[in-house]
Amino acid sequence: MTWSTESTCETTATAQAVWDRWTTASSWSEDDASCQWATLEEPLKVGSKGKVRTTGPAQNFTFTEVVPLKKMTFTISLPLAVLAFPHTLGAGSSPSTVRVTHGIVITGPLAPVFGFLVGRKLARELPRVVRLVTEHAVLAEA
Amino acid sequence: MAARQLAALGLDVVVLEAHESVGGRTRSAQVAGVTVDLGGTFVGPTQDRVIALAAALGCRTHPTWVQGKSVVRWHGSRRRYSGTIPRVPVTTLLNTERVRLLFDRAANRLGADGMGRSEQDEISLGTWLTRVRAGQGATALLAAVARTTWGCEPDEVSLLHALRYVKGCGGINRMLDTEGGAQQDHFAAGAQEMSLRMAAELNVYTACPVRSVRHTAGEDVVLETPHGDLVARAVVVAVPPAMRNRIVFDPPLPSGYQALSQRWPQGALTKAYAVYEKPFWRDDNLSGQTLSDDGPVFITLDASPEDASRGALLGFIGGDYARRFDALPQAERRLQVLQCFAELFGPAALQPLGYIDQRWASEPWIGGGPTAHPGPGALTGYGRWMAEPVGRIHWAGTETADVWSGFMDGAVRSGERAATEVAAHLAVRTTDDEMAANA
Ligand SMILES: Cc1cc2nc3c(=O)[nH]c(=O)nc-3n(C[C@H](O)[C@H](O)[C@H](O)COP(=O)(O)OP(=O)(O)OC[C@H]3O[C@@H](n4cnc5c(N)ncnc54)[C@H](O)[C@@H]3O)c2cc1C
């Protein structure tokens, strides 16, 4: 079973600036109000691990997809479900913009339950998170 | 306004304006052939003084477009609704109505002087919302109100100030409504036209900031400007409270006045317009009015010209949204606004003929808008010095008004009050001088 949602926005930030923002775990708390802190414990590649703390105890996450300047996904294991956060970068509607998409995908037998319990709240915050990521990326280049 | 009234009494009046044009927080611009108001825009019932001034100056208004359905974007989903009650969850609506009643009741209980209990000035509107258990939805709705009304978050404005302010407008509904409320009409040629027409009849120096105001031993005041000094018998300082501190007063103002200037900061409210070939949302039976629980644009209105020869959407960006938005480069701001419009009105909103935004918080002689947002303690602590003259210095500006403070109507009223004060002051002085000469 799968529960999913996503939010997209277009920005004048470069793909590099957005990528830098995504892959600097220490800045995630500035973009996502529900994140207290996050750390990446090893250089970024498929399989590298980190820790993130939201409301409850800190959780481990693992990168499952890393395609520089294009996409990256990390996952968190939940009881009988996996919470994945796919991030994709694509061409914008003009040469000076890029499209930034953040998704939430919950898979596994308890996906609908976690979708209801966790996913809805995360989904509500998602547009704000994408906007803050892009704003910070723009400002980093200004 | 004070200058116009004093000149009508036959006094020799000079207006010194720091910006290169008159109008202050009313400023109009042309975008793709459409006149848009970058600051003060709307007028409505009971704003009698600004309406009278507009009529006297021949500045025409027309009703704000309200036909069709409004849109609310709440918790990520977009819904249409008719009338004034947005389609947000029923519990949110009931709670908001309960909070509105509590708020209006507390506002109505304020004394005739507009003052309430000092405890009401000890807390912010945000704290009060928590105390009355407003809940998430009602708090989000009232945060939108705070962002447009004061350009701040609910935690940044004193509860007492908010109550007093809303009372001066005749209640929350009168302040927020379009039909029958403060957004009912707007100016065909832009609100700045009033100042431009008044200026045409007055002796005005623009790009002429007053740097200092000095009382002389001879009881004149000397105003220092980059273009030279000006000696006057009285001065009306009609700048936002926070801007008073940019003027050097000699002798210095009593400490309460200085604290007032520091503790009554201007809000952050940015306006953005996109102009289209036609008001395409009307074809979809949409009024152009929207409310959103996320930004940066959280309120929109249809600001098209009366003949609908073009379509114009107006978006408000206030409080924390404005502080972040204002820091972005123009291209990103435009993109963000157009994406917000597109989410509300469809992809056609991404292709405007023209776009403009106005960031009032970066205006050096205004400091923000729409008005000041005193935090807890600032009203009871320093409010009494808002309009109290100091020697030959009199104070005007919308923040000094008791009725429709923060609005153009309050600005006009304050000018009228200051003019009466100065005329009386000068008449007394003249009589004193004559008596002294005759003695
Ligand atoms: C985004 C926005 C939307 C608004 N919407 C509405 C609305 O729809 N309806 C409504 O009624 N009101 C609205 N307002 C508020 C309204 O515009 C103001 O209340 C009104 O214009 C204030 O007029 P004022 O004369 O008191 O002050 P201001 O307009 O601020 O004028 C003060 C003037 O003093 C000048 N100045 C400052 N320092 C000096 C100095 N040292 N020397 C010389 N000159 C100096 C400034 O340049 C400025 O021109 C809005 C305001 C904003 C910013």
Side-chain angles (χ1 to χ4, degrees), chain A residues 9-13 97 124 127-128 131-132 134-135 138-139, chain B residues 75 136 294-296 321 324 327-329 331-332 335-336 339:
Chain A
C9 98
E10 215 165 302
T11 176
T12 55
T97 62
R124 209 177 284 168
R128 201 185 311 258
R131 200 178 58 248
L132 285 175
T134 55
E135 281 179 4
V138 168
L139 290 174
Chain B
H75 291 173
Q136 231 182 1
D294 192 19
Y321 289 129
R324 281 200 303 272
L328 298 169
E332 182 72 11
L335 193 56
Q336 283 203 353
Q339 288 183 93

Side-chain angles (χ1 to χ4, degrees), chain B residues 240-265:
Chain B
M243 292 294 112
R244 293 180 183 178
N245 260 357
R246 289 199 66 180
I247 303 172
V248 175
F249 292 92
D250 178 17
L253 294 174
S255 60
Y257 288 84
Q258 294 174 29
L260 168 89
S261 196
Q262 289 160 358
R263 301 279 304 271
W264 284 60

